[in-house]
Amino acid sequence: MADKILMKGNEAIAEAGIKAGCRFFFGYPITPQNELPAYMARRLPMEDGVFLQAESEVAAINMVYGAAGAGARVMTSSSSPGISLKQEGISYMAGSELPGVIVNIIRGGPGLGGIQPAQSDYLQATKGGGHGDYRLLVLAPQSVQEAVDLTMEAFDLADKYRNPVMILGDGMIGQMMEPVEFPGETSPEELPKKEWATVGNEGRKANIINSLSLQAEKLEELNLRLQKKYKQMQEEEVRVETTKTEDAEYVIVAFGSMARIALSAVERAREEGIKVGLIRPISLFPYPEQVVGKVAEQAKFMLTVEMNCGQMLEDVRLAVNGRCPVYFYGRTGGVVPTSQEIYEKLMELVRGEK
Amino acid sequence: MKVVAKRPRALMDKPTHYCPGCTHGITHRLVAEVIDEMDIREKTIGVAPVGCAVLAYEYFDCDFQQAAHGRAPAVATGIKRVLPENFVFTYQGDGDLASIGTAEIVHAAMRGENITTIFINNAIYGMTGGQMAPTTMIGQKTTTSPYGRDSKSAGEPIRVVEMLSTFSRAAYLARVGLFNNKEIKKAKKAIRKAFETQKAGQGFSLVELLSTCPTNWGMNPAEALDWVESNMVPYYPLGEYKTPEGGEDR
Ligand SMILES: Cc1ncc(C[n+]2csc(CCOP(=O)(O)OP(=O)(O)O)c2C)c(N)n1
Ligand code: SF4
Ligand SMILES: [Mg+2]
């Protein structure tokens, strides 16, 4: 295993893509993810790859579509407003069953919003985002190392399911520097051939990348096949971390960098003898609803903490399904809740219980 | 019996959904003949638009991708960057290319993306039932310009080939008609040149074909061809606007 190197989140995600065998990147500038394309622009030519700054996020995602359809591992990154523009293309990718990795380093919204970290694209990311009945695999890292690991995994998952995968980070993940190591390297030549890709139909029938079905029954068939994939994801791809939940009476649920901050609040309360635990969903779709539901059986309440006005909250409530009360604490617009604030909210709720 | 028009190998043996007298059919045929003559069918990847030609992948016997409305040049860019040795072409209508996809075609031409675009200018949105296109003629009646296109509120028709001519990396640009046999022959020659430009790696190539939509123009096929010649050609002059050698032939 290689030595640890100090890297910014955005750059580490880019390098992780290259290490996973991605040689094609299409993007458009937007803060706070600019280091990612800049890194690709520097690095990809060294690997005989292609970096292309597209005319817009719309063009970028459609270049991703074309490159993915031609069988390549391909990646794009953006931040909230740009991800909104990509939605039509992402829906086409899901409908045409194309793999690809999309990074969203979320900033505060709506509209042009701000450039500070936020988690306000949770619903957009996990419920499809564009038109039609589809899902992305959504992975939310809480550290630079985890961003590396999940990005590398994302390419395998995208290929396994022929479905786009989203890495959902925020400005903190993108901007912070941490030591990382890269767990290996795949060259594009080692990857299995994609028999369905459009590469020229020498000696076979033509391959077609398409999401159009003018017959209702045919389109329903496609949808049912997609739903089967999402079900398989729910069975095989749930990733979640639990901390001190075994004996917990109170449970905080948080994802991404928010979970990291929430953990300090949990530790502080534990020092004071309060039995608090933390559930950190890593895959946001598929959502770890069974784990959340199970822990809810023993909990007196759950507290969802997010950098938005309560989006994952809906999934927590669905998973808890009335087994215990679910409360919410969040800041938004780029304001990051401190561990002190979370601790105080937790203690206020604990006092209310007693 | 003499076979006058054998089906090109690059076309599937099936009837198309195009209306009688629509020039989409003849254009498919010309592209397929060029692909055959250059013997590049198994190395070619087409990109279908959203528009009446959305089902082009059903008719060409080569690998195909269906693109979102207007995004074919971006999709083709993605394909070509992965497969620089293959031939990549887009087939796009005027709503697709000159309205919703203006940015994509302009930037593909600006980059000199080594792809070929077959551009069907029929001065209307065919598929959605005859709305005004950016290429609709002044005074032309459509469902969304019921009193005739008025330049004061709807501007003047976009001349795509002229607009793209300013880019040094747009290597081959031509506008052709399909309103008689002589023009059809010229059209085929232009399509061939466009694909040869791509083969030589000289950059972006585009052929604009002045086309008909008898159904939404409310004309019979013969009237529609006459209308192209008498109404469209004067505004959209035919000829080669750019060639890799640097010449013009208009
Ligand atoms: C994003 C989006 N907007 C609108 C449409 C509806 N639409 C389908 S085809 C079309 C116009 C096609 O006209 P043109 O490109 O001129 O092709 P033609 O049918 O004339 O060959 C439109 C507006 C769509 N499919 N997607
Ligand atoms: S609607 Fe117009 S463009 Fe479409 S197939 Fe019919 S004639 Fe051709
Ligand atoms: Mg048209």
Side-chain angles (χ1 to χ4, degrees), chain A residues 24 26 50 52 55 58-59 62-63 65-67 69-70 72 88 92 197-204 206-210 212, chain B residues 41-42 45 50 54-55 57 61-69 71 74-75 77-79 81-83 86 103-104 107 111 113:
Chain A
F24 298 90
F26 305 95
V50 173
L52 198 160
E55 56 270 32
V58 176
N62 284 285
M63 289 170 186
Y65 179 101
E88 183 201 34
Y92 270 67
T198 59
V199 295
N201 66 338
E202 217 175 317
R204 61 157 166 76
N207 281 344
I208 294 165
I209 303 296
N210 176 38
L212 176 73
Chain B
R41 185 180 64 88
E42 293 180 331
I45 297 135
V50 175
V54 66
L55 292 174
Y57 57 81
D61 189 5
C62 64
D63 280 3
F64 242 87
Q65 295 196 22
Q66 201 288 308
H69 195 20
R71 317 302 171 206
V75 171
T77 296
I79 301 170
R81 294 300 178 115
V82 173
L83 304 167
N86 287 62
E104 282 75 11
H107 284 263
R111 290 191 302 268
E113 217 51 70

Short mmCIF file of all heavy atoms in Angstrom, two decimals, chain A residues 24 26 50 52 55 58-59 62-63 65-67 69-70 72 88 92 197-204 206-210 212, chain B residues 41-42 45 50 54-55 57 61-69 71 74-75 77-79 81-83 86 103-104 107 111 113:
data_model
loop_
_atom_site.label_atom_id
_atom_site.label_comp_id
_atom_site.label_asym_id
_atom_site.label_seq_id
_atom_site.Cartn_x
_atom_site.Cartn_y
_atom_site.Cartn_z
N PHE A 24 -11.67 9.94 -18.95
CA PHE A 24 -12.45 10.97 -19.64
C PHE A 24 -13.21 11.81 -18.62
O PHE A 24 -13.91 11.29 -17.77
CB PHE A 24 -13.41 10.32 -20.64
CG PHE A 24 -12.68 9.56 -21.70
CD1 PHE A 24 -12.37 8.22 -21.52
CD2 PHE A 24 -12.24 10.20 -22.85
CE1 PHE A 24 -11.65 7.52 -22.48
CE2 PHE A 24 -11.52 9.51 -23.82
CZ PHE A 24 -11.22 8.16 -23.63
N PHE A 26 -15.50 15.51 -18.38
CA PHE A 26 -16.16 16.65 -19.03
C PHE A 26 -16.80 17.49 -17.94
O PHE A 26 -17.56 16.96 -17.12
CB PHE A 26 -17.23 16.15 -20.01
CG PHE A 26 -16.69 15.18 -21.04
CD1 PHE A 26 -16.76 13.81 -20.83
CD2 PHE A 26 -16.08 15.66 -22.19
CE1 PHE A 26 -16.25 12.92 -21.78
CE2 PHE A 26 -15.57 14.78 -23.15
CZ PHE A 26 -15.67 13.40 -22.94
N VAL A 50 -8.57 12.30 -21.68
CA VAL A 50 -9.16 13.51 -22.24
C VAL A 50 -9.83 14.34 -21.14
O VAL A 50 -10.70 13.85 -20.43
CB VAL A 50 -10.22 13.18 -23.32
CG1 VAL A 50 -10.96 14.45 -23.76
CG2 VAL A 50 -9.59 12.48 -24.51
N LEU A 52 -12.01 17.80 -21.05
CA LEU A 52 -12.63 18.78 -21.94
C LEU A 52 -13.51 19.70 -21.12
O LEU A 52 -14.40 19.24 -20.40
CB LEU A 52 -13.46 18.06 -23.02
CG LEU A 52 -13.84 18.87 -24.27
CD1 LEU A 52 -14.20 17.94 -25.41
CD2 LEU A 52 -14.96 19.84 -24.03
N GLU A 55 -19.06 23.61 -22.91
CA GLU A 55 -19.68 24.93 -23.01
C GLU A 55 -20.71 25.15 -21.92
O GLU A 55 -21.12 26.29 -21.66
CB GLU A 55 -20.30 25.14 -24.39
CG GLU A 55 -21.32 24.09 -24.84
CD GLU A 55 -20.70 22.92 -25.59
OE1 GLU A 55 -19.54 22.58 -25.26
OE2 GLU A 55 -21.35 22.35 -26.49
N VAL A 58 -24.93 21.29 -19.27
CA VAL A 58 -25.81 20.50 -20.15
C VAL A 58 -24.96 19.73 -21.15
O VAL A 58 -25.12 18.52 -21.35
CB VAL A 58 -26.80 21.42 -20.90
CG1 VAL A 58 -27.64 20.62 -21.88
CG2 VAL A 58 -27.70 22.15 -19.91
N ALA A 59 -24.04 20.43 -21.80
CA ALA A 59 -23.17 19.78 -22.78
C ALA A 59 -22.30 18.74 -22.08
O ALA A 59 -22.12 17.63 -22.58
CB ALA A 59 -22.31 20.81 -23.49
N ASN A 62 -23.98 15.49 -21.43
CA ASN A 62 -24.25 14.77 -22.67
C ASN A 62 -22.98 14.22 -23.31
O ASN A 62 -23.01 13.21 -24.00
CB ASN A 62 -25.05 15.65 -23.64
CG ASN A 62 -26.51 15.74 -23.21
OD1 ASN A 62 -27.26 14.78 -23.39
ND2 ASN A 62 -26.89 16.84 -22.59
N MET A 63 -21.85 14.85 -23.04
CA MET A 63 -20.57 14.27 -23.45
C MET A 63 -20.30 13.02 -22.62
O MET A 63 -19.81 12.01 -23.13
CB MET A 63 -19.44 15.29 -23.25
CG MET A 63 -19.50 16.43 -24.24
SD MET A 63 -18.35 17.76 -23.81
CE MET A 63 -18.80 18.99 -25.05
N TYR A 65 -22.59 11.12 -21.44
CA TYR A 65 -23.51 10.14 -22.05
C TYR A 65 -22.85 9.46 -23.25
O TYR A 65 -22.82 8.22 -23.34
CB TYR A 65 -24.79 10.87 -22.45
CG TYR A 65 -25.88 10.06 -23.13
CD1 TYR A 65 -27.00 9.64 -22.40
CD2 TYR A 65 -25.84 9.77 -24.49
CE1 TYR A 65 -28.04 8.94 -23.03
CE2 TYR A 65 -26.87 9.07 -25.12
CZ TYR A 65 -27.96 8.66 -24.38
OH TYR A 65 -28.98 7.97 -25.00
N GLY A 66 -22.31 10.28 -24.16
CA GLY A 66 -21.69 9.73 -25.36
C GLY A 66 -20.50 8.85 -25.05
O GLY A 66 -20.35 7.74 -25.58
N ALA A 67 -19.64 9.33 -24.15
CA ALA A 67 -18.44 8.58 -23.80
C ALA A 67 -18.80 7.28 -23.07
O ALA A 67 -18.21 6.22 -23.32
CB ALA A 67 -17.51 9.44 -22.93
N GLY A 69 -21.59 5.65 -23.42
CA GLY A 69 -22.18 4.78 -24.43
C GLY A 69 -21.12 4.15 -25.32
O GLY A 69 -21.33 3.07 -25.88
N ALA A 70 -19.98 4.81 -25.44
CA ALA A 70 -18.87 4.27 -26.22
C ALA A 70 -18.00 3.34 -25.36
O ALA A 70 -16.95 2.89 -25.79
CB ALA A 70 -18.03 5.40 -26.81
N ALA A 72 -16.55 3.83 -22.21
CA ALA A 72 -15.47 4.32 -21.36
C ALA A 72 -15.93 4.57 -19.92
O ALA A 72 -17.11 4.83 -19.68
CB ALA A 72 -14.91 5.62 -21.93
N GLU A 88 -31.55 16.59 -16.98
CA GLU A 88 -32.12 15.93 -18.15
C GLU A 88 -31.18 14.82 -18.64
O GLU A 88 -31.60 13.70 -18.91
CB GLU A 88 -32.38 16.94 -19.28
CG GLU A 88 -33.05 16.31 -20.50
CD GLU A 88 -32.87 17.12 -21.78
OE1 GLU A 88 -31.79 17.74 -21.94
OE2 GLU A 88 -33.78 17.13 -22.61
N TYR A 92 -31.61 10.75 -18.90
CA TYR A 92 -31.34 9.98 -20.13
C TYR A 92 -30.35 8.84 -19.85
O TYR A 92 -30.48 7.75 -20.40
CB TYR A 92 -30.77 10.89 -21.22
CG TYR A 92 -31.80 11.54 -22.12
CD1 TYR A 92 -32.70 12.48 -21.64
CD2 TYR A 92 -31.88 11.20 -23.47
CE1 TYR A 92 -33.64 13.07 -22.46
CE2 TYR A 92 -32.82 11.81 -24.31
CZ TYR A 92 -33.69 12.74 -23.80
OH TYR A 92 -34.62 13.33 -24.63
N ALA A 197 -21.72 -1.64 -25.73
CA ALA A 197 -21.28 -0.28 -26.09
C ALA A 197 -21.28 -0.07 -27.60
O ALA A 197 -21.12 -1.01 -28.38
CB ALA A 197 -19.90 -0.02 -25.52
N THR A 198 -21.44 1.18 -28.03
CA THR A 198 -21.38 1.52 -29.45
C THR A 198 -19.94 1.84 -29.81
O THR A 198 -19.44 2.92 -29.53
CB THR A 198 -22.26 2.75 -29.77
OG1 THR A 198 -21.79 3.85 -28.98
CG2 THR A 198 -23.72 2.51 -29.45
N VAL A 199 -19.28 0.86 -30.44
CA VAL A 199 -17.87 1.05 -30.81
C VAL A 199 -17.65 0.68 -32.28
O VAL A 199 -16.53 0.57 -32.73
CB VAL A 199 -16.96 0.17 -29.92
CG1 VAL A 199 -17.02 0.63 -28.47
CG2 VAL A 199 -17.34 -1.31 -30.00
N GLY A 200 -18.76 0.50 -33.02
CA GLY A 200 -18.67 0.00 -34.40
C GLY A 200 -19.13 -1.45 -34.40
O GLY A 200 -18.71 -2.23 -33.55
N ASN A 201 -20.03 -1.80 -35.36
CA ASN A 201 -20.67 -3.12 -35.27
C ASN A 201 -20.00 -4.17 -36.14
O ASN A 201 -20.66 -4.88 -36.89
CB ASN A 201 -22.17 -3.01 -35.59
CG ASN A 201 -22.44 -2.62 -37.04
OD1 ASN A 201 -21.58 -2.04 -37.68
ND2 ASN A 201 -23.62 -2.95 -37.54
N GLU A 202 -18.69 -4.27 -36.03
CA GLU A 202 -17.97 -5.26 -36.81
C GLU A 202 -18.40 -6.66 -36.38
O GLU A 202 -18.24 -7.04 -35.22
CB GLU A 202 -16.47 -5.07 -36.59
CG GLU A 202 -15.67 -5.31 -37.84
CD GLU A 202 -14.19 -4.99 -37.63
OE1 GLU A 202 -13.90 -3.94 -36.99
OE2 GLU A 202 -13.37 -5.79 -38.07
N GLY A 203 -18.96 -7.41 -37.33
CA GLY A 203 -19.30 -8.81 -37.07
C GLY A 203 -20.44 -9.02 -36.08
O GLY A 203 -20.57 -10.11 -35.51
N ARG A 204 -21.24 -8.02 -35.83
CA ARG A 204 -22.40 -8.22 -34.95
C ARG A 204 -23.52 -7.25 -35.35
O ARG A 204 -23.31 -6.35 -36.15
CB ARG A 204 -22.04 -8.00 -33.48
CG ARG A 204 -21.53 -6.61 -33.18
CD ARG A 204 -21.72 -6.24 -31.73
NE ARG A 204 -20.96 -5.06 -31.34
CZ ARG A 204 -21.29 -3.82 -31.64
NH1 ARG A 204 -22.38 -3.57 -32.34
NH2 ARG A 204 -20.55 -2.80 -31.26
N ALA A 206 -26.12 -4.17 -34.83
CA ALA A 206 -25.85 -2.83 -34.31
C ALA A 206 -26.25 -2.72 -32.84
O ALA A 206 -27.29 -3.25 -32.43
CB ALA A 206 -26.59 -1.80 -35.14
N ASN A 207 -25.42 -2.06 -32.06
CA ASN A 207 -25.78 -1.71 -30.67
C ASN A 207 -26.43 -0.33 -30.67
O ASN A 207 -25.98 0.57 -31.37
CB ASN A 207 -24.54 -1.68 -29.79
CG ASN A 207 -24.10 -3.07 -29.37
OD1 ASN A 207 -24.86 -4.03 -29.48
ND2 ASN A 207 -22.87 -3.19 -28.89
N ILE A 208 -27.46 -0.19 -29.85
CA ILE A 208 -28.17 1.09 -29.79
C ILE A 208 -28.30 1.55 -28.35
O ILE A 208 -28.72 0.79 -27.49
CB ILE A 208 -29.55 0.95 -30.46
CG1 ILE A 208 -29.36 0.70 -31.96
CG2 ILE A 208 -30.37 2.22 -30.26
CD1 ILE A 208 -30.56 0.20 -32.68
N ILE A 209 -27.90 2.78 -28.11
CA ILE A 209 -28.05 3.40 -26.79
C ILE A 209 -29.27 4.31 -26.88
O ILE A 209 -29.27 5.26 -27.66
CB ILE A 209 -26.80 4.23 -26.42
CG1 ILE A 209 -25.53 3.39 -26.46
CG2 ILE A 209 -26.98 4.91 -25.07
CD1 ILE A 209 -25.45 2.27 -25.47
N ASN A 210 -30.27 4.04 -26.09
CA ASN A 210 -31.54 4.69 -26.34
C ASN A 210 -32.44 4.61 -25.11
O ASN A 210 -32.41 3.63 -24.38
CB ASN A 210 -32.21 3.96 -27.51
CG ASN A 210 -33.59 4.47 -27.80
OD1 ASN A 210 -33.84 5.68 -27.71
ND2 ASN A 210 -34.49 3.58 -28.15
N LEU A 212 -35.80 5.81 -25.71
CA LEU A 212 -37.13 6.03 -26.31
C LEU A 212 -37.88 4.71 -26.47
O LEU A 212 -37.32 3.73 -26.95
CB LEU A 212 -36.97 6.67 -27.69
CG LEU A 212 -38.26 6.88 -28.50
CD1 LEU A 212 -39.09 8.01 -27.93
CD2 LEU A 212 -37.96 7.16 -29.97
N ARG B 41 -19.05 1.31 -42.65
CA ARG B 41 -20.26 1.02 -41.87
C ARG B 41 -19.92 0.45 -40.49
O ARG B 41 -20.48 0.86 -39.47
CB ARG B 41 -21.15 0.03 -42.61
CG ARG B 41 -22.49 -0.24 -41.94
CD ARG B 41 -23.32 -1.23 -42.73
NE ARG B 41 -22.70 -2.54 -42.80
CZ ARG B 41 -22.87 -3.49 -41.89
NH1 ARG B 41 -23.65 -3.29 -40.87
NH2 ARG B 41 -22.24 -4.65 -42.01
N GLU B 42 -18.99 -0.48 -40.45
CA GLU B 42 -18.69 -1.14 -39.18
C GLU B 42 -17.82 -0.29 -38.25
O GLU B 42 -17.49 -0.70 -37.14
CB GLU B 42 -18.01 -2.49 -39.45
CG GLU B 42 -18.97 -3.47 -40.14
CD GLU B 42 -18.34 -4.82 -40.42
OE1 GLU B 42 -17.10 -4.86 -40.61
OE2 GLU B 42 -19.07 -5.82 -40.45
N ILE B 45 -20.50 5.35 -35.94
CA ILE B 45 -21.49 5.48 -34.86
C ILE B 45 -22.31 6.73 -35.15
O ILE B 45 -21.77 7.83 -35.27
CB ILE B 45 -20.80 5.59 -33.49
CG1 ILE B 45 -20.04 4.28 -33.21
CG2 ILE B 45 -21.83 5.82 -32.38
CD1 ILE B 45 -18.67 4.48 -32.68
N VAL B 50 -33.66 14.46 -31.38
CA VAL B 50 -35.09 14.42 -31.08
C VAL B 50 -35.74 15.28 -32.15
O VAL B 50 -35.40 16.43 -32.35
CB VAL B 50 -35.40 14.96 -29.67
CG1 VAL B 50 -36.92 15.01 -29.46
CG2 VAL B 50 -34.76 14.07 -28.63
N VAL B 54 -35.86 10.90 -34.97
CA VAL B 54 -35.48 10.28 -33.70
C VAL B 54 -35.26 8.78 -33.84
O VAL B 54 -34.46 8.18 -33.14
CB VAL B 54 -36.53 10.59 -32.59
CG1 VAL B 54 -37.88 9.94 -32.90
CG2 VAL B 54 -36.05 10.16 -31.23
N LEU B 55 -35.98 8.18 -34.81
CA LEU B 55 -35.85 6.72 -34.98
C LEU B 55 -34.77 6.35 -36.01
O LEU B 55 -34.73 5.20 -36.46
CB LEU B 55 -37.19 6.12 -35.41
CG LEU B 55 -38.31 6.16 -34.35
CD1 LEU B 55 -39.62 5.68 -34.96
CD2 LEU B 55 -37.95 5.32 -33.14
N TYR B 57 -31.96 5.42 -35.71
CA TYR B 57 -31.23 4.19 -35.31
C TYR B 57 -31.95 2.93 -35.74
O TYR B 57 -31.37 1.86 -35.78
CB TYR B 57 -30.99 4.18 -33.79
CG TYR B 57 -32.26 4.30 -32.96
CD1 TYR B 57 -33.07 3.19 -32.71
CD2 TYR B 57 -32.64 5.52 -32.41
CE1 TYR B 57 -34.23 3.30 -31.96
CE2 TYR B 57 -33.80 5.65 -31.65
CZ TYR B 57 -34.58 4.53 -31.43
OH TYR B 57 -35.73 4.65 -30.69
N ASP B 61 -27.95 0.63 -40.43
CA ASP B 61 -27.41 -0.61 -39.88
C ASP B 61 -25.99 -0.36 -39.35
O ASP B 61 -25.01 -0.88 -39.87
CB ASP B 61 -27.40 -1.71 -40.94
CG ASP B 61 -27.04 -3.06 -40.34
OD1 ASP B 61 -26.90 -3.14 -39.10
OD2 ASP B 61 -26.87 -4.03 -41.10
N CYS B 62 -25.91 0.50 -38.36
CA CYS B 62 -24.62 0.72 -37.69
C CYS B 62 -24.93 1.09 -36.24
O CYS B 62 -26.08 1.36 -35.91
CB CYS B 62 -23.81 1.82 -38.38
SG CYS B 62 -24.54 3.45 -38.33
N ASP B 63 -23.91 1.08 -35.39
CA ASP B 63 -24.14 1.44 -33.98
C ASP B 63 -24.69 2.87 -33.89
O ASP B 63 -24.31 3.74 -34.69
CB ASP B 63 -22.82 1.34 -33.19
CG ASP B 63 -22.52 -0.10 -32.81
OD1 ASP B 63 -23.30 -1.00 -33.22
OD2 ASP B 63 -21.52 -0.34 -32.11
N PHE B 64 -25.55 3.09 -32.92
CA PHE B 64 -26.22 4.39 -32.81
C PHE B 64 -26.45 4.76 -31.37
O PHE B 64 -26.65 3.90 -30.52
CB PHE B 64 -27.59 4.33 -33.53
CG PHE B 64 -27.71 5.28 -34.69
CD1 PHE B 64 -27.29 4.90 -35.96
CD2 PHE B 64 -28.24 6.55 -34.52
CE1 PHE B 64 -27.40 5.78 -37.04
CE2 PHE B 64 -28.35 7.44 -35.59
CZ PHE B 64 -27.93 7.05 -36.86
N GLN B 65 -26.44 6.07 -31.10
CA GLN B 65 -26.90 6.56 -29.81
C GLN B 65 -27.99 7.58 -30.06
O GLN B 65 -27.90 8.38 -31.00
CB GLN B 65 -25.76 7.23 -29.01
CG GLN B 65 -24.65 6.26 -28.61
CD GLN B 65 -23.73 6.82 -27.52
OE1 GLN B 65 -24.10 7.72 -26.78
NE2 GLN B 65 -22.55 6.26 -27.44
N GLN B 66 -29.00 7.55 -29.22
CA GLN B 66 -30.10 8.51 -29.32
C GLN B 66 -29.79 9.62 -28.31
O GLN B 66 -29.55 9.33 -27.14
CB GLN B 66 -31.41 7.79 -28.99
CG GLN B 66 -32.65 8.49 -29.51
CD GLN B 66 -32.96 9.74 -28.74
OE1 GLN B 66 -33.02 9.71 -27.52
NE2 GLN B 66 -33.11 10.85 -29.43
N ALA B 67 -29.78 10.86 -28.76
CA ALA B 67 -29.38 11.97 -27.89
C ALA B 67 -30.58 12.78 -27.42
O ALA B 67 -31.62 12.80 -28.08
CB ALA B 67 -28.41 12.89 -28.63
N ALA B 68 -30.43 13.48 -26.32
CA ALA B 68 -31.46 14.41 -25.87
C ALA B 68 -31.59 15.54 -26.90
O ALA B 68 -30.67 15.81 -27.68
CB ALA B 68 -31.10 14.98 -24.49
N HIS B 69 -32.73 16.23 -26.88
CA HIS B 69 -33.06 17.26 -27.87
C HIS B 69 -31.96 18.33 -27.95
O HIS B 69 -31.73 19.07 -26.99
CB HIS B 69 -34.39 17.89 -27.46
CG HIS B 69 -35.06 18.69 -28.53
ND1 HIS B 69 -34.78 18.57 -29.88
CD2 HIS B 69 -36.04 19.64 -28.46
CE1 HIS B 69 -35.54 19.40 -30.58
NE2 HIS B 69 -36.32 20.06 -29.73
N ARG B 71 -28.71 17.91 -28.16
CA ARG B 71 -27.41 17.60 -27.56
C ARG B 71 -26.55 16.65 -28.38
O ARG B 71 -25.49 16.23 -27.91
CB ARG B 71 -27.58 17.04 -26.14
CG ARG B 71 -28.60 17.75 -25.28
CD ARG B 71 -28.33 19.22 -25.10
NE ARG B 71 -29.48 19.86 -24.45
CZ ARG B 71 -29.79 21.13 -24.58
NH1 ARG B 71 -29.06 21.95 -25.31
NH2 ARG B 71 -30.84 21.61 -23.97
N ALA B 74 -22.81 17.22 -28.52
CA ALA B 74 -22.10 16.92 -27.27
C ALA B 74 -21.95 15.40 -27.12
O ALA B 74 -20.88 14.91 -26.76
CB ALA B 74 -22.86 17.50 -26.07
N VAL B 75 -23.00 14.66 -27.42
CA VAL B 75 -22.93 13.20 -27.34
C VAL B 75 -21.87 12.69 -28.32
O VAL B 75 -21.03 11.86 -27.98
CB VAL B 75 -24.32 12.58 -27.64
CG1 VAL B 75 -24.21 11.07 -27.79
CG2 VAL B 75 -25.31 12.93 -26.54
N THR B 77 -19.34 14.29 -29.42
CA THR B 77 -18.03 14.67 -28.88
C THR B 77 -17.54 13.61 -27.90
O THR B 77 -16.39 13.17 -27.96
CB THR B 77 -18.12 16.05 -28.18
OG1 THR B 77 -18.47 17.04 -29.16
CG2 THR B 77 -16.81 16.43 -27.52
N GLY B 78 -18.43 13.20 -27.00
CA GLY B 78 -18.07 12.16 -26.03
C GLY B 78 -17.64 10.88 -26.72
O GLY B 78 -16.63 10.26 -26.36
N ILE B 79 -18.39 10.48 -27.74
CA ILE B 79 -18.07 9.24 -28.46
C ILE B 79 -16.72 9.37 -29.17
O ILE B 79 -15.84 8.52 -29.05
CB ILE B 79 -19.16 8.91 -29.50
CG1 ILE B 79 -20.53 8.75 -28.84
CG2 ILE B 79 -18.79 7.64 -30.28
CD1 ILE B 79 -21.69 8.66 -29.84
N ARG B 81 -14.22 11.37 -28.69
CA ARG B 81 -13.04 11.48 -27.83
C ARG B 81 -12.61 10.13 -27.31
O ARG B 81 -11.43 9.89 -27.05
CB ARG B 81 -13.32 12.45 -26.67
CG ARG B 81 -13.53 13.90 -27.10
CD ARG B 81 -12.31 14.47 -27.81
NE ARG B 81 -12.54 15.83 -28.26
CZ ARG B 81 -11.86 16.89 -27.80
NH1 ARG B 81 -10.93 16.75 -26.88
NH2 ARG B 81 -12.13 18.09 -28.28
N VAL B 82 -13.59 9.22 -27.14
CA VAL B 82 -13.25 7.87 -26.69
C VAL B 82 -12.75 7.04 -27.88
O VAL B 82 -11.83 6.23 -27.73
CB VAL B 82 -14.48 7.19 -26.04
CG1 VAL B 82 -14.19 5.72 -25.72
CG2 VAL B 82 -14.88 7.94 -24.77
N LEU B 83 -13.35 7.25 -29.06
CA LEU B 83 -13.05 6.41 -30.23
C LEU B 83 -12.59 7.28 -31.41
O LEU B 83 -13.30 7.42 -32.41
CB LEU B 83 -14.30 5.62 -30.63
CG LEU B 83 -14.95 4.74 -29.56
CD1 LEU B 83 -16.34 4.28 -30.01
CD2 LEU B 83 -14.06 3.54 -29.23
N ASN B 86 -12.86 5.95 -35.04
CA ASN B 86 -14.17 5.64 -35.63
C ASN B 86 -14.76 6.86 -36.32
O ASN B 86 -14.29 7.98 -36.12
CB ASN B 86 -15.13 5.14 -34.54
CG ASN B 86 -14.78 3.75 -34.08
OD1 ASN B 86 -13.71 3.51 -33.55
ND2 ASN B 86 -15.69 2.82 -34.28
N ALA B 103 -25.96 26.08 -28.68
CA ALA B 103 -24.65 26.12 -28.00
C ALA B 103 -23.82 24.90 -28.37
O ALA B 103 -22.62 25.01 -28.64
CB ALA B 103 -24.85 26.19 -26.49
N GLU B 104 -24.46 23.73 -28.40
CA GLU B 104 -23.71 22.50 -28.66
C GLU B 104 -23.11 22.49 -30.06
O GLU B 104 -21.96 22.09 -30.25
CB GLU B 104 -24.61 21.28 -28.46
CG GLU B 104 -24.83 20.90 -26.99
CD GLU B 104 -25.79 21.82 -26.25
OE1 GLU B 104 -26.45 22.66 -26.90
OE2 GLU B 104 -25.86 21.72 -25.02
N HIS B 107 -20.23 25.18 -30.36
CA HIS B 107 -18.99 24.82 -29.67
C HIS B 107 -18.31 23.59 -30.28
O HIS B 107 -17.09 23.50 -30.26
CB HIS B 107 -19.24 24.67 -28.17
CG HIS B 107 -19.38 26.00 -27.51
ND1 HIS B 107 -18.33 26.62 -26.86
CD2 HIS B 107 -20.42 26.86 -27.47
CE1 HIS B 107 -18.73 27.81 -26.42
NE2 HIS B 107 -20.00 27.97 -26.77
N ARG B 111 -14.56 23.99 -31.57
CA ARG B 111 -13.46 23.09 -31.18
C ARG B 111 -12.88 22.35 -32.36
O ARG B 111 -11.83 21.74 -32.25
CB ARG B 111 -13.96 22.07 -30.15
CG ARG B 111 -14.29 22.61 -28.77
CD ARG B 111 -14.52 21.47 -27.78
NE ARG B 111 -15.59 20.58 -28.18
CZ ARG B 111 -16.87 20.71 -27.81
NH1 ARG B 111 -17.23 21.69 -27.01
NH2 ARG B 111 -17.77 19.85 -28.23
N GLU B 113 -14.34 19.75 -33.55
CA GLU B 113 -14.61 18.35 -33.20
C GLU B 113 -14.62 17.54 -34.49
O GLU B 113 -15.31 17.90 -35.45
CB GLU B 113 -15.98 18.31 -32.50
CG GLU B 113 -16.12 17.36 -31.36
CD GLU B 113 -15.04 17.44 -30.29
OE1 GLU B 113 -14.96 18.41 -29.53
OE2 GLU B 113 -14.28 16.45 -30.22
#
